Amino acid sequence: MPLLPEGHPEKIFREDGLRLDGRKPDDLRDLRIEIGVLKNADGSAMVCHGKNRIIAGAYGPREVHPRHLAQSDTGILQVQYRMSTFSVGERKSPVPGRREKEISMVIQHALEPVLFLEQYPNSTIDIFIQVMTADGGTRCASITAAALALADMGIPMRDLVTGVAVGKVDNKPILDLADYEDKWEEGAADMPVAVMMNEKKITLLQLDGQVGIDEYERMLDLAIKGAEGVYEAQKEALRKKYTSEIVGGR
Ligand code: CDP
């Protein structure tokens, strides 16, 4: 992949119409997924999406702490999304800020619909997500990783959840924005989406920026198309983990 210019680029598309990293508007970044990366978690996954490096560990169902959060008629899902101090250009404070709390909450809401939480009264499923390197679209890549960590736990799920961001720069819709595209300000918008791929149900849709109805529909189509690529990689990673277990043992 060609090297990107240092700092903020002056243009967002190359002369040949491609993006600065050589992608077409509807191309995903490279995606590498590994399941079962944490020995001490009940389920785990690592997602390397572009330059994002994200690890998710899932635990449970287990007793809720603190106890007053327990609900006698259902289980709960608790999600903690955190960025490492070294994950971004400027040192990120280790103290969780508003952004991390908000992202933890939206990831929780994006994943809850695929779980049968009512089967685990008084219990919790906990997901811890650590962003080691951030390069745009970390909430989406975190959802992709967290859904796989849940699947790796072996609990029943209605579906997987797949995250992908779509947006526009210079008023052109593009799939899977890298950090430098996310920060572009002219004719720009950013729309993270999470989808239950079997049922084609959307469990997260946020929008930062302004888009017309036509643009919104085009961006949503692009997001679903992109999510299909991510979903294939998720399924392939699960297949690889479980066929290697059958052949070689855990
Ligand atoms: O990561 P995501 O796109 O879901 O969330 P965002 O708040 O729109 O952040 C976009 C990008 O800004 C992140 O992926 C990081 O690359 C970058 N960022 C940063 O450089 N410093 C921060 N404290 C937070 C985010």
Side-chain angles (χ1 to χ4, degrees):
M1 223 177 243
L3 283 179
L4 291 173
E6 291 289 326
H8 296 288
E10 281 171 18
K11 284 188 185 168
I12 202 75
F13 289 105
R14 302 188 326 198
E15 296 295 324
D16 58 8
L18 296 178
R19 294 152 75 176
L20 297 183
D21 57 12
R23 284 187 290 156
K24 295 200 280 290
D26 59 352
D27 279 345
L28 284 170
R29 290 174 287 180
D30 289 343
L31 190 54
R32 193 160 53 80
I33 299 178
E34 211 175 314
I35 312 282
V37 291
L38 301 175
K39 169 177 160 287
N40 297 323
D42 296 329
S44 59
M46 179 170 71
V47 167
C48 305
H49 191 150
K51 294 198 179 77
N52 288 311
R53 297 283 178 276
I54 296 172
I55 294 188
Y59 297 80
R62 63 184 183 180
E63 206 174 302
V64 185
H65 289 289
R67 293 291 290 271
H68 71 263
L69 293 177
Q71 294 184 33
S72 57
D73 55 344
T74 183
I76 57 171
L77 174 69
Q78 301 189 96
V79 175
Q80 191 184 86
Y81 160 102
R82 292 285 184 269
M83 286 179 111
S84 308
T85 49
F86 49 76
S87 63
V88 286
E90 276 185 26
R91 177 184 175 275
K92 147 91 186 49
S93 158
V95 181
R98 259 185 41 204
R99 176 179 171 277
E100 282 161 303
K101 288 181 190 156
E102 181 224 309
I103 294 182
S104 300
M105 188 190 73
V106 298
I107 294 175
Q108 177 201 324
H109 292 163
L111 295 170
E112 274 168 347
V114 293
L115 296 173
F116 296 90
L117 288 171
E118 66 284 359
Q119 291 184 2
Y120 317 109
N122 290 312
S123 307
T124 177
I125 294 172
D126 296 321
I127 304 180
F128 300 96
I129 299 164
Q130 196 67 36
V131 178
M132 323 277 271
T133 309
D135 186 30
T138 62
R139 77 195 64 202
C140 295
S142 295
I143 289 169
T144 301
L148 289 169
L150 288 170
D152 187 37
M153 280 202 321
I155 54 164
M157 290 168 72
R158 289 188 176 86
D159 203 343
L160 274 178
V161 187
T162 303
V164 75
V166 67
K168 61 170 185 171
V169 287
D170 278 351
N171 291 310
K172 294 194 185 84
I174 55 170
L175 180 64
D176 189 18
L177 286 72
D179 185 55
Y180 73 92
E181 293 171 323
D182 200 311
K183 295 199 164 81
W184 190 257
E185 283 176 6
E186 275 157 60
D190 176 22
M191 191 167 95
V193 175
V195 194
M196 289 167 62
M197 289 305 291
N198 264 331
E199 302 190 20
K200 292 279 184 310
K201 284 190 179 151
I202 291 173
T203 63
L204 165 79
L205 197 151
Q206 295 182 292
L207 176 61
D208 183 13
Q210 289 192 343
V211 295
I213 293 282
D214 288 355
E215 274 179 326
Y216 164 77
E217 283 174 357
R218 256 192 302 154
M219 280 163 60
L220 192 57
D221 285 349
L222 192 55
I224 302 283
K225 180 173 167 258
E228 269 156 16
V230 178
Y231 183 51
E232 286 309 312
Q234 283 178 301
K235 286 192 295 184
E236 183 54 36
L238 283 169
R239 259 196 299 271
K240 202 166 143 200
K241 162 93 192 296
Y242 290 102
T243 41
S244 75
E245 267 179 21
I246 292 163
V247 175
R250 215 176 231 259

